Amino acid sequence: MKMSGKLGALILMILFANAALAQSKQNKMSNKVKNTSMTDYEAINNLIVSERIYRASHRNEELAKCYADDAKINTSWQSGGVNSFIGKGSDEVVAELPMVNRCGGALIYQNDNKSFVEYPTTTTRGVYVNDVEATLTSYMRLLYRVEKRNGEWKITAMTSINESDALTPAIPGQDLKINPADVKGLRLSYRWLSYTRQIVGGTISQDLPGTDRPTEVKKIYDEELGWLNK
């Protein structure tokens, strides 16, 4: 019994020592992370990711800090400065229905204190179509201009390029009662975004940037890269 007691005590001592060692390593790692400054690349990536998270979660105060005061933002529903974008939304958005934004990895080009970023996104939002709950999914590519001002990276411009979209009933099997004639002539890169906005009385241009007009998209890229390398 005495040997068993000594062995138990020894095991407990080893366990406590290992736990203390692990905690010490964790504290050192935590301090190292806190004291390590981000590279420009990491700061730019963190800025773009933060902007999307803040936008989707309606954290407007934090979202505003991502942008320079003179930033220009162009989307399907507005074109203007920060005040025309933050805290506002498009006509088809229904507040009580879910909206989810998921993004891919950012492709970052940097030239000194300027950066051009491509960021693929998928936005899923609840809408009503002919009194039936539906899900609108938009696939877009966001193009950001980012500049380092006073030692801090800020977004100075953002433009969305439409790639494709889809519209499905929220409850499988329901009929959205869509007349094919109502979507005839709408751009394929954002057909259902156009449709859902129009049926609630909103407006949308049929000349927005979209992958179904590759020549226009190339022009945008030429302008962005020209700005970056100027």
Side-chain angles (χ1 to χ4, degrees):
M1 293 295 295
K2 290 183 179 180
M3 287 296 294
S4 177
K6 289 182 180 180
L7 181 60
L10 180 60
I11 291 174
L12 285 175
M13 289 177 63
I14 294 173
L15 290 175
F16 281 128
N18 287 339
L21 180 61
Q23 184 63 50
S24 176
K25 288 181 178 180
Q26 184 176 356
N27 291 339
K28 288 180 180 179
M29 181 61 70
S30 177
N31 291 333
K32 184 177 181 181
V33 170
K34 291 178 182 177
N35 296 329
T36 300
S37 60
M38 289 188 289
T39 65
D40 282 337
Y41 184 93
E42 292 168 333
I44 294 167
N45 184 75
N46 186 65
L47 173 65
I48 299 304
V49 172
S50 298
E51 189 272 344
R52 284 293 87 193
I53 291 176
Y54 297 153
R55 172 65 181 170
S57 57
H58 308 292
R59 293 154 68 180
N60 295 327
E61 185 175 341
E62 294 160 299
L63 177 63
K65 294 177 182 178
C66 296
Y67 287 92
D69 292 338
D70 59 346
K72 302 298 181 185
I73 305 165
N74 299 303
T75 67
S76 68
W77 53 274
Q78 62 77 235
S79 181
V82 175
N83 291 335
S84 70
F85 177 70
I86 294 177
K88 298 178 174 61
S90 52
D91 294 314
E92 77 279 1
V93 172
V94 181
E96 66 268 21
L97 295 181
M99 179 176 178
V100 179
N101 195 347
R102 288 293 177 263
C103 304
L107 183 57
I108 299 173
Y109 310 82
Q110 184 185 352
N111 183 12
D112 196 20
N113 289 333
K114 296 181 359 182
S115 179
F116 166 53
V117 183
E118 297 181 68
Y119 203 38
T121 73
T122 301
T123 301
T124 302
R125 62 179 73 91
V127 296
Y128 285 109
V129 177
N130 300 318
D131 297 322
V132 178
E133 184 183 345
T135 301
L136 171 65
T137 302
S138 297
Y139 303 96
M140 296 179 294
R141 196 183 316 154
L142 302 181
L143 307 183
Y144 293 88
R145 289 186 184 186
V146 184
E147 295 183 50
K148 193 173 190 180
R149 299 178 177 179
N150 300 318
E152 188 174 8
W153 289 99
K154 294 283 188 178
I155 298 168
T156 56
M158 190 264 277
T159 298
S160 61
I161 293 179
N162 298 283
E163 296 181 319
S164 182
D165 61 3
L167 183 65
T168 57
I171 301 176
Q174 287 196 301
D175 184 3
L176 298 181
K177 307 178 184 69
I178 298 173
N179 185 342
D182 292 339
V183 298
K184 185 177 181 180
L186 297 180
R187 296 271 302 282
L188 292 180
S189 57
Y190 57 103
R191 172 169 51 190
W192 300 113
L193 175 62
S194 298
Y195 175 75
T196 54
R197 188 166 303 171
Q198 290 174 349
I199 62 175
V200 296
T203 60
I204 186 169
S205 171
Q206 288 302 297
D207 291 317
L208 297 175
T211 52
D212 54 338
R213 294 184 180 178
T215 301
E216 295 178 8
V217 171
K218 181 181 182 304
K219 183 180 179 182
I220 293 174
Y221 272 83
D222 289 344
E223 290 174 352
E224 296 300 314
L225 293 174
W227 167 83
L228 177 66
N229 296 311
K230 186 175 181 181

